Amino acid sequence: MNERLERTAWFREARFGMFIHWGLYAIPARGEWVRSVEKLSNEQYEPYFREFRPDRYDPRAWARAAKAAGQQYAVLTTKHHDGFCLFDSEQTDYKATNTPAQRDLIKEYVEAFRAEGLKVGFYYSLIDWHHDDYPAYGDRIHPMRDNEAYKDRPIQFERYVDYLHAQVKELLTRYGKIDIMWFDFSYDDMTGEKWRATELVNMIRSIQPDIMIDNRLGGHILAAEPEPYAGDFYSPEQIVPPGGIVDENGLPVPWEACITLNDNWGYHAKDHAYKSPKQVVRALVECVSKNGNMLLNVGPNARGEIPAESLRILEAVGEWMRHSGDSIYGCGASSLPKPEWGRYTQNGNMLYAHVFDRGIGPIYFRGLKGKIKKARLLADGSELKVSVPWMAEQYSDTDSGAFIHLAGAELPDEIDT
Ligand code: JFZ
């Protein structure tokens, strides 16, 4: 087993995590890109720093919600693109301890999630709209890119890279064992060694030898010989990759689809385009059926609470996970082709059939004639009748399939997968 597979072993078993986007942008409540999208100057964004008072911040409640949803790990934004730090960094004054919050919010997060038995990850933005030495012009993602005043501003980019390295070091030395480092993101020529990525990864591994790192420092994670900083897992965003993810040799690469519950990562007061619990469960099943994980996002509000709509979805997903989690944890792709009526996940010789399209009559299992030792309904453990087509021609049964009968079975009704 290579190092990447060793480091990600727990992660590939866990399959389901919570992504948390939280920062000053929760106050304007128009998503985490608000500063860029609306081209807000430092002066216009400044009030949020002075007003940040998350009086309802209770990371134990977040951790309990994650655990009850069946999530086994979490990743929180220690710093997003706006540069604001939720932790007590010595490298900047732009941090939670200098707001009315007056405390290190990362420390409390780590302690709370660990106490619930969840693995802990840090999101850290490579992009920084606040640092004086981050390029502000000629750069497609900076809020000030169209502002002439910023055009010839002299910057010393290496000072920013030093800052980034020093902050990562703080994050990985102060809070004990950290399980995931999630960098975001590289683009254009702002990638790889521009971040002094090999040096950065060597430093990270010297402090936290078992930590997993995502693939957004740049490099080619799918190459036969990836760069040392190419990452341990691939991070598709807002999509479940149709064919899973394989490298140039055709070998599976660990991956994690990050997915929002509505259409924003950061809190957005007017975005009610929430997915249904059923859609979320099916997306999770889809990920696992292709050897992947799902990192499901919540965007707590300015007072520090996960929105009620998000909590309701998490609860319903948790309900499903309680009776059907065995078809997720420790499972991966089946070697059988995708069935017409849904998805397979598999753990050893245990095959899980996720029936998305119940249709009428028994469910047909192509190619499995004589191979099903026993069939049970996962939700309640009750046995199900297995039969073989009695008039094979009638079903054009060239693949020698078998039927499993659901008639009379109590299917979980709320989310009928
Ligand atoms: C980034 C952030 O800009 C966003 O705010 C959020 O944090 C998300 C998880 O990550 O967005 C990206 C990053 C990379 C791609 C797309 C959106 N990409 O590579 O396609």
Side-chain angles (χ1 to χ4, degrees):
M1 206 155 59
N2 65 31
E3 282 192 344
R4 187 194 279 163
L5 289 180
E6 259 171 59
R7 273 188 216 116
T8 57
W10 70 264
F11 173 80
R12 287 178 291 113
E13 297 260 309
R15 290 301 185 210
F16 190 25
M18 175 182 271
F19 210 174
I20 311 170
H21 276 72
W22 194 46
L24 300 181
Y25 42 79
I27 303 176
R30 299 190 293 277
E32 78 288 355
W33 272 74
V34 60
R35 203 188 142 195
S36 169
V37 172
E38 299 180 15
K39 297 196 169 58
L40 306 180
S41 63
N42 276 333
E43 293 66 37
Q44 286 170 303
Y45 203 66
E46 176 64 20
Y48 306 128
F49 178 75
R50 279 183 276 112
E51 292 168 16
F52 189 60
R53 189 188 306 276
D55 61 327
R56 306 275 294 163
Y57 177 53
D58 178 6
R60 288 298 287 265
W62 294 2
R64 282 194 298 270
K67 189 162 188 177
Q71 296 168 321
Q72 304 214 337
Y73 62 99
V75 178
L76 169 63
T77 50
T78 60
K79 177 193 93 169
H80 203 264
H81 306 338
D82 66 2
F84 176 69
C85 299
L86 292 179
F87 60 109
D88 188 14
S89 174
E90 279 165 32
Q91 315 304 318
T92 182
D93 293 330
Y94 201 48
K95 56 181 177 181
T97 33
N98 291 337
T99 67
Q102 287 188 321
R103 52 202 217 275
D104 186 324
L105 303 166
I106 292 300
K107 180 170 182 285
E108 292 173 38
Y109 153 76
V110 172
E111 287 167 2
F113 277 72
R114 249 192 229 133
E116 287 294 328
L118 302 170
K119 302 260 190 204
V120 172
F122 287 160
Y123 169 109
Y124 183 89
S125 175
L126 298 166
I127 294 161
D128 196 312
W129 299 330
H130 187 265
H131 197 285
D132 284 340
D133 292 299
Y134 196 86
Y137 197 86
D139 165 18
R140 70 179 165 90
I141 56 94
H142 197 282
M144 296 304 136
R145 69 177 190 269
D146 297 328
N147 185 333
E148 284 295 319
Y150 281 75
K151 188 175 179 187
D152 298 316
R153 197 181 57 139
I155 65 158
Q156 285 179 262
F157 185 64
E158 284 311 306
R159 283 208 302 223
Y160 173 69
V161 180
D162 290 341
Y163 173 83
L164 139 71
H165 283 228
Q167 287 206 316
V168 170
K169 191 168 190 171
E170 289 178 336
L171 286 168
L172 299 183
T173 48
R174 294 178 172 185
Y175 307 96
K177 187 170 190 287
I178 300 303
D179 303 292
I180 302 175
M181 195 69 216
W182 217 105
F183 290 109
D184 194 31
F185 58 86
S186 296
Y187 58 99
D188 302 344
D189 67 337
M190 302 291 282
T191 182
E193 294 302 2
K194 197 84 177 227
W195 314 117
R196 302 206 310 263
T198 302
E199 179 194 329
L200 181 63
V201 166
N202 286 341
M203 181 264 282
I204 293 171
R205 299 238 185 268
S206 74
I207 306 170
Q208 302 265 358
D210 298 327
I211 201 168
M212 293 171 38
I213 307 175
D214 74 340
N215 67 324
R216 293 188 180 190
L217 279 170
H220 304 83
I221 190 176
L222 305 184
E225 302 274 336
E227 298 84 349
Y229 56 82
D232 299 308
F233 66 97
Y234 196 98
S235 58
E237 180 161 328
Q238 302 286 40
I239 187 176
V240 178
I245 307 270
V246 292
D247 68 12
E248 281 175 5
N249 295 324
L251 297 171
V253 171
W255 60 269
E256 171 190 68
C258 50
I259 309 280
T260 50
L261 272 174
N262 51 8
D263 290 331
N264 281 273
W265 299 95
Y267 181 68
H268 193 304
K270 298 209 168 70
D271 178 357
H272 301 291
Y274 283 91
K275 294 166 184 70
S276 69
K278 182 165 166 167
Q279 282 177 295
V280 172
V281 166
R282 288 185 176 194
L284 175 59
V285 166
E286 173 104 18
C287 289
V288 178
S289 79
K290 290 167 181 169
N291 278 326
N293 285 31
M294 184 164 82
L295 188 63
L296 185 64
N297 184 72
V298 294
N301 63 27
R303 297 188 65 184
E305 291 173 310
I306 297 175
E309 284 157 303
S310 301
L311 287 175
R312 275 197 289 277
I313 301 167
L314 291 177
E315 272 166 32
V317 171
E319 178 93 3
W320 185 88
M321 289 293 282
R322 269 188 291 284
H323 59 65
S324 294
D326 287 353
S327 68
I328 300 294
Y329 303 127
C331 293
S334 169
S335 52
L336 297 167
K338 179 164 95 91
E340 282 159 42
W341 38 257
R343 300 289 183 280
Y344 285 134
T345 58
Q346 194 167 338
N347 187 353
N349 59 11
M350 188 73 89
L351 179 69
Y352 295 97
H354 300 263
V355 182
F356 289 4
D357 183 3
R358 169 73 181 81
I360 54 150
I363 310 292
Y364 186 59
F365 289 75
R366 206 171 286 284
L368 292 189
K369 183 179 179 181
K371 296 193 173 143
I372 302 174
K373 209 167 158 195
K374 179 101 193 177
R376 307 262 295 266
L377 185 68
L378 184 55
D380 68 357
S382 58
E383 65 180 4
L384 297 169
K385 183 182 153 192
V386 182
S387 71
V388 293
W390 56 277
M391 271 174 64
E393 321 79 66
Q394 183 173 308
Y395 311 104
S396 302
D397 187 24
T398 48
D399 304 293
S400 299
F403 283 128
I404 293 180
H405 297 255
L406 294 179
E410 285 274 332
L411 291 183
D413 52 6
E414 260 276 297
I415 304 168
D416 53 343
T417 54

